[in-house]
Amino acid sequence: MNLPEKIHRFIHSQQPKTIELLQRLVQEESTRENESSAQAIVIEKCRELKLDLDIWEIERIKLQSHPFFRCDRNEFEGNPNVVATLKGNGGGRSIILNGHIDVVPEGDPKDWRDDPFSGRVSEGKLYGRGSTDMKGGNVALLLAIEAIISTGIKLKGDVIFQSVIEEESGGTGTLAALLRGYKADAAIIPEPTNMKLFPKQQGSMWFRIKVKGKSAHGGTRYEGVNAIEKAMKVISSLRELEIKRNEEINDPLYQSIPIPVPINIGRIECGKWPSSVPDLAIIEGRVGVAPHETLEEVENDVENWLRELKEQDEWFKEFPVELEWFGGRWQPGNLDHNHELMNTIKSAYREILNSEPIVEASPWGTDGGILSKGANIPVVVFGPGTTEVAHDSNEYIELEKVFQSAEIIAVTLLSWCGVDL
Amino acid sequence: MNLPEKIHRFIHSQQPKTIELLQRLVQEESTRENESSAQAIVIEKCRELKLDLDIWEIERIKLQSHPFFRCDRNEFEGNPNVVATLKGNGGGRSIILNGHIDVVPEGDPKDWRDDPFSGRVSEGKLYGRGSTDMKGGNVALLLAIEAIISTGIKLKGDVIFQSVIEEESGGTGTLAALLRGYKADAAIIPEPTNMKLFPKQQGSMWFRIKVKGKSAHGGTRYEGVNAIEKAMKVISSLRELEIKRNEEINDPLYQSIPIPVPINIGRIECGKWPSSVPDLAIIEGRVGVAPHETLEEVENDVENWLRELKEQDEWFKEFPVELEWFGGRWQPGNLDHNHELMNTIKSAYREILNSEPIVEASPWGTDGGILSKGANIPVVVFGPGTTEVAHDSNEYIELEKVFQSAEIIAVTLLSWCGVDL
């Protein structure tokens, strides 16, 4: 029996145990600042697999001077980052398998058919917040490692499994692991891609724009300048910038995507009183960053564009809008889709699923941007969940895809890290 | 010495005392629910003038079935309405002199050069919240009545002085006085018209419009429908309705007014998260009501207009906007500018100021709408303050105009009510 066949049988035999592990993980409500109990389950599993464990609490002071650091959390005590290494025998290529343990809040429980953290299994799906994003992916990673161990062989290169916190809030967990010294020749992140391969990922940044008006009584509104109407001009102008920015993208991976790097207007707030002309509008949004761009380039792009508003409307000459970059920033990912890591995963995919994998660019950033832009690590995002249900009520994952992705990743590890015969 | 001459001399002699009275009134912070101490000063003055006093606390239950009642205040205890009557000898026309004692909040004290309730006098101006809107006008009314009394003559018709609460919040004070039985052959309200005569006043109503969208992740915004962009369509459509409504107004009084009945967008609120497509926008605003219109007509006008949104955008077919009429409602005023009350005030004005009064339509509603639409009382709004400084920081009133308006009103009383020789 060859190695892939052994791996296949092992994974098949582990289905009940794997479902139970995922169920336990989903049942721990590992929202921000509550990651400890889910991490404890991960640690327990890594101990069982006899991996080299590194468990530490993030110290803000060690990260805060890094240009990628964006974090409004001060307290990490009791909620550790976890890295567990399957040491290779040497002479092979190493790989990071990175997944985040934090989940976004469950939202309104009334929108859920079950308890949001039920972990209920029904018709091949496991339900609950975090099932797709991304505890299902994490469990696939652990199962892949366990499958390798089960074969009795030794890999040449190291497999560095990372269960990080803070991905949903800007990536401080992965940044902390990187700055602690964890680098590798490649990385796979099983975010919910629905089994597609994403060598490129859209990055993003949040912006806030303040638009001035001039207050007046609503009965003589013509004596004022309505900040809402000026804000509408700003929004229309951002739409034009979005068109311009997307016209410049000719990467074939984006061929089927209507807007590769959207500018989203997420929030507007203006005015306090129905019968007053409001004098300040605040717009908040997210600008997508193309794989080939740096965040700084996009900052300049938007800044320069908004400076031109004055050519359309004299008002902005006297009262230019104020632009602020705040909160979330996600680095884009930009791996050549012919990179050897891609070829390795693709051939594992073909071997196991007997079909050609779909290769796309993701519409969202992942912690992969921190690894690739921060340490030149080739990253592919590939995982069993689906974007559509992530962050939504009644989130679920198809269990079959957890097993398939575990198998593909295990076979990838064989080729990438090399087997010490 | 004829009566007008006596009145002129009396008012001149009372300047220091009048300024002191206005100062004391401004120094009482008679914002909503805090009207009692300012009313106490009014009552003291009315007692001094030996007027027939009627002081009562409003009872919500007695008003709430009236179609003009719009009030979110439940507690009136300790903050009375005040009506003080100078009884005529009979056989003449009666008149209501109506002023409100409530003032709007002072806003940010940092925007004021002095204490917002200083009552400071400098270079002929008295400063403080409520000086212009409308304690200066109220003091002019009291001074006019005192001047009549000082001449020793008796009027034929009653002079019904009203110091009401709640004008700034929808007119419950004046409505309460009306329903208590106070009616008359005419009314003057000395709101800040800067000595212009306003036989017509713009009414207004507040509206709230809910606009639906469809949420999505900002990175794939094209999968959602942004409620902000749909709200922009609604706002643009309301601009068109404003143009249409104002084209229909051909009253010569509005000739010099850019937009006789504006639709003001006062507030918008939409979205919570920069990288989500928001699915609900709330727009609040104020629609102006022309003197010849009823509030119900305008409600229908706006409702029908918004129903047509679906012709412009299929989205509104499936998700029509929700329109709600909430909060403030001010009845318009619509006196023929050749009405005898107008002629009486005009000739008093000419006599005292030796010039032709300016006649206009006001851009805001007053409690006058309640008197005219509610009981067919002819109302003219005429007062010493200026709209520009009302509700603003560093509000002030020119004292000379307080004395001039008092004199004009006193002479008007002589003609309107008739002198019992």
Side-chain angles (χ1 to χ4, degrees), chain B residues 355-408:
Chain B
S355 66
E356 193 57 29
I358 298 170
V359 178
E360 278 181 8
S362 78
W364 24 257
T366 69
D367 276 358
I370 293 172
L371 300 178
S372 59
K373 301 271 173 182
N376 251 318
I377 300 170
V379 177
V380 172
V381 180
F382 162 70
T386 55
T387 313
E388 290 71 23
V389 301
H391 296 213
D392 210 345
S393 51
N394 306 306
E395 180 180 343
Y396 67 84
I397 193 162
E398 291 177 62
L399 290 163
E400 185 56 29
K401 291 189 174 156
V402 175
F403 305 125
Q404 287 172 352
S405 59
E407 203 173 329
I408 292 165

Side-chain angles (χ1 to χ4, degrees), chain B residues 40-41 86 99-100 114 143 149 167 179 183 185 236 288 294 333 338 364 381 406 421:
Chain B
I41 294 170
L86 177 68
H100 65 86
D114 290 314
L143 183 56
I149 296 169
E167 191 274 343
L179 297 186
K183 291 175 189 170
D185 300 315
S236 299
T294 67
N338 290 320
W364 24 257
V381 180
L421 295 170

Side-chain angles (χ1 to χ4, degrees), chain A residues 9 23 130 226 245 274 410 412:
Chain A
R9 294 208 180 172
Q23 212 160 28
N226 196 317
R245 281 177 48 73
T412 299

